[in-house]
Amino acid sequence: MKKCLSFLFVLSLFINVISYAQDSTSKPYVVAGNIGITNNGISIIPTFSLQEPAFNYTGTLSRGGKFSIDPDVRLTFDGRKGGAMIWLRYKLVDSKKFNFRVGAHPAFNFALKSVTENGKTWNITQARRFIATELAPSYTINNHISFGAYYLHGNGLQTDGPISTHFVNFISSFSGIKLGATHLLSFSPQVYYLQIDKEDGFYLTGNVVLTSKKSPIALMYLYNKEIRTNITGSKNLDWNLTLMYNFNKSFKQIK
């Protein structure tokens, strides 16, 4: 039943986004996001990482309204491990102080799996399918401080992997801190709860980002620390460094 409801939610958002994209208004398309390389690919749920260098791409396509299509790709350089998802998102509330976003996505997770046949064993890349929904309220104090929460519910569509995932994250954000004339520092300490089927845990996570007013290049440090957990595959302390290229472009529709 939960999988059915998640699928219907994804379908509903998809239909609304397509309808929005077909709107005949003259608003330009906005394509924004970042491309990065990292020493350790870390998942959208930072409990899990690839433990290998990886390529990251997160982006958004919108027309300045409430709907957006947001791809998120995280893969090792050989493409054998990682994941890819396409978020369909809608801003229920979009005000100066308070924002509330909902979203859903279909996703694939890629992992190595040992297969034995006729006495021979080798590794293959297995693609697992997921459908997830999200709720993301946030409140802005001023230009530098904001607080928010994030809830993700994922459903696995196969029996040889996680079936039900609940991820609840409490977020604080401090941004635009000046370091000299051209550089800015942002950091975001967070605490979250994760439940995967019958296993669960509490964690500290966060990131520190260094940007420049004169360059689209940024450097991000991300960390994840266990508080208490019994989740299989969790590490006591995990981290990565990511070199990112940020972009934000507008394109007018050609009639």
Side-chain angles (χ1 to χ4, degrees):
M1 182 64 179
K2 290 181 178 179
K3 291 181 181 179
C4 182
L5 290 174
S6 295
F7 175 77
L8 290 175
F9 186 53
V10 172
L11 182 62
S12 174
L13 273 178
F14 182 76
I15 291 172
N16 280 306
V17 169
I18 293 300
S19 299
Y20 177 67
Q22 293 175 342
D23 188 353
S24 61
T25 61
S26 59
K27 291 181 180 179
Y29 289 95
V30 177
V31 180
N34 63 75
I35 300 170
I37 54 173
T38 178
N39 66 303
N40 176 24
I42 290 182
S43 169
I44 185 175
I45 299 177
T47 307
F48 305 108
S49 63
L50 301 174
Q51 297 300 303
E52 288 185 29
F55 159 83
N56 298 334
Y57 167 70
T58 57
T60 182
L61 171 64
S62 70
R63 296 187 72 178
K66 292 188 175 184
F67 289 104
S68 66
I69 302 175
D70 302 348
D72 187 324
V73 180
R74 305 164 193 238
L75 292 172
T76 55
F77 293 134
D78 61 8
R80 301 193 68 189
K81 295 194 297 182
M85 64 192 77
I86 299 179
W87 283 104
L88 308 175
R89 286 174 166 147
Y90 179 74
K91 298 174 183 177
L92 283 177
V93 181
D94 186 18
S95 66
K96 186 176 180 180
K97 290 291 186 180
F98 180 69
N99 293 273
F100 192 179
R101 186 189 75 223
V102 298
H105 73 64
F108 289 92
N109 174 260
F110 307 107
L112 296 180
K113 182 178 181 179
S114 295
V115 175
T116 301
E117 187 175 320
N118 298 325
K120 296 182 179 180
T121 300
W122 64 93
N123 290 327
I124 65 169
T125 296
Q126 180 187 27
R128 291 192 174 108
R129 298 159 296 137
F130 295 87
I131 291 178
T133 54
E134 67 173 3
L135 303 173
S138 63
Y139 185 80
T140 300
I141 303 297
N142 54 42
N143 291 335
H144 302 287
I145 303 173
S146 64
F147 297 94
Y150 181 79
Y151 170 66
L152 173 72
H153 181 213
N155 292 287
L157 302 182
Q158 52 278 308
T159 58
D160 62 337
I163 301 299
S164 178
T165 299
H166 296 274
F167 174 62
V168 183
N169 193 14
F170 297 96
I171 305 163
S172 57
S173 179
F174 306 89
S175 60
I177 301 169
K178 291 184 178 180
L179 295 179
T182 61
H183 289 82
L184 300 173
L185 183 72
S186 301
F187 61 97
S188 178
Q190 305 166 31
V191 59
Y192 69 89
Y193 170 76
L194 176 64
Q195 181 186 47
I196 301 178
D197 297 331
K198 295 182 179 180
E199 301 178 341
D200 69 348
F202 291 89
Y203 296 83
L204 291 174
T205 189
N207 58 65
V208 180
V209 182
L210 179 65
T211 59
S212 171
K213 296 178 182 179
K214 296 184 177 182
S215 172
I217 303 299
L219 183 65
M220 181 178 74
Y221 168 73
L222 187 150
Y223 63 90
N224 190 73
K225 179 71 174 68
E226 292 180 350
I227 299 175
R228 178 201 60 79
T229 185
N230 61 5
I231 294 176
T232 303
S234 176
K235 290 187 64 177
N236 179 47
L237 178 63
D238 207 0
W239 63 275
N240 72 6
L241 281 173
T242 302
L243 185 65
M244 300 185 298
Y245 174 82
N246 297 303
F247 58 91
N248 191 326
K249 302 292 183 180
S250 297
F251 301 92
K252 289 186 178 181
Q253 184 177 3
I254 300 176
K255 296 184 179 180

